[in-house]
Amino acid sequence: MNGDTCMKTRALLFDFDGTLVDTMEGFADIAGEVIHQFHPEISFEEARRRYLETSGVPFFQQLEIILPGDPTNSKKAAIFEETKKEGFFRSTFSEEVRFVITQLRERGILVGVSSNNFQYLIEQFIEREGLQFDIVLGFKDGFEKGKHHFEYVLHHFQLKKDELTFVGDSLKDAEKAISNDISFIGLCGTFTKEQFLDKYPDIITINSLQELLEICER
């Protein structure tokens, strides 16, 4: 990605957890507890670390990376999804997120959400928060963050690939974008700038979403 990315970009697609809302630390705690409960030989701290390392895909897919083929993975995933709902709906959009999203839309940039939360959960959250997005995409069977969401957005808004940019907080987010020839901006926090650039040296990284307003003026 080069410096004129946002001059071409007509649409910004945002990851949700860890990017638009500060849920990742709480989710990591839940995942660590669930994994440790089923596998006492894996410490809570180690399980939590593995969750964060593999974030960016649905938890049931993370479990297949962390514990491939384990017969209790489906049960662990069900417990995680049910437990996280309480914290999910305790979260809210920050004033910064509200300001940045509103400003981007006022500038004529299409703004969307791409989440691995279930579609009905993400729709309920955004409806409650009252913040306007041009498109909201969540997880459904056979339709998830990455290739499916990118293709849907490109077709829905009749965009070229270089007119769409994905903003996320994880290495998996970067991998999904780059493997699909979509520009990516990494929000530092869950991963550091150094971790992003060590693996993907050509991407842009930001420390706050407000920096997008400067980038999109280039």
Side-chain angles (χ1 to χ4, degrees), residues 3-181:
D4 66 357
T5 293
C6 282
M7 291 178 65
K8 292 183 178 180
T9 291
R10 293 177 53 202
L12 288 172
L13 192 60
F14 289 84
D15 167 58
F16 189 77
D17 294 305
T19 302
L20 292 179
V21 291
D22 186 18
T23 52
M24 287 301 293
E25 294 301 315
F27 287 174
D29 287 343
I30 295 168
E33 289 171 1
V34 170
I35 293 172
H36 176 63
Q37 176 187 345
F38 280 83
H39 304 275
E41 72 279 8
I42 302 175
S43 69
F44 165 79
E45 293 77 14
E46 175 66 11
R48 192 180 189 281
R49 182 185 67 79
R50 293 190 194 180
Y51 171 83
L52 288 171
E53 282 182 349
T54 57
S55 63
V57 298
F59 186 58
F60 73 88
Q61 292 181 7
Q62 289 182 259
L63 287 170
E64 288 301 323
I65 298 171
I66 299 168
L67 297 156
D70 189 278
T72 65
N73 279 350
S74 60
K75 188 171 184 180
K76 290 196 288 284
I79 294 171
F80 173 84
E81 294 296 342
E82 188 60 34
T83 306
K84 83 172 191 181
K85 286 181 185 177
E86 182 180 348
F88 180 78
F89 285 107
R90 279 204 306 265
S91 303
T92 187
F93 288 132
S94 68
E95 289 305 311
E96 179 194 35
V97 167
R98 293 180 180 278
F99 176 74
V100 170
I101 296 302
T102 301
Q103 285 290 307
L104 289 169
R105 295 188 77 236
E106 287 181 357
R107 295 179 186 187
I109 296 174
L110 296 166
V111 177
V113 174
S114 174
S115 173
N116 275 324
N117 288 296
F118 292 116
Q119 183 75 35
Y120 77 94
L121 287 177
I122 204 75
E123 287 177 351
Q124 286 179 19
F125 184 99
I126 290 175
E127 181 178 0
R128 184 201 68 181
E129 289 293 289
L131 185 60
Q132 295 298 309
F133 291 87
D134 296 289
I135 194 165
V136 175
L137 301 175
F139 177 84
K140 294 183 287 189
D141 286 340
F143 186 74
E144 63 185 66
K145 182 172 69 174
K147 179 180 175 65
H148 299 145
H149 286 189
F150 298 148
E151 289 182 347
Y152 185 89
V153 170
L154 292 171
H155 180 264
H156 184 77
F157 293 111
Q158 294 297 293
L159 300 171
K160 299 175 183 176
K161 281 193 172 185
D162 63 1
E163 294 175 324
L164 175 63
T165 298
F166 186 42
V167 183
D169 71 312
S170 75
L171 295 177
K172 284 288 184 183
D173 288 337
E175 177 186 319
K176 287 178 182 293
I178 292 166
S179 65
N180 286 281
D181 298 318

Side-chain angles (χ1 to χ4, degrees), residues 189-208:
T190 305
F191 292 87
T192 65
K193 177 178 181 177
E194 290 72 25
Q195 286 173 310
F196 272 122
L197 296 182
D198 181 59
K199 195 160 186 180
Y200 304 105
D202 296 328
I203 67 170
I204 289 174
T205 62
I206 56 176
N207 293 310
S208 73

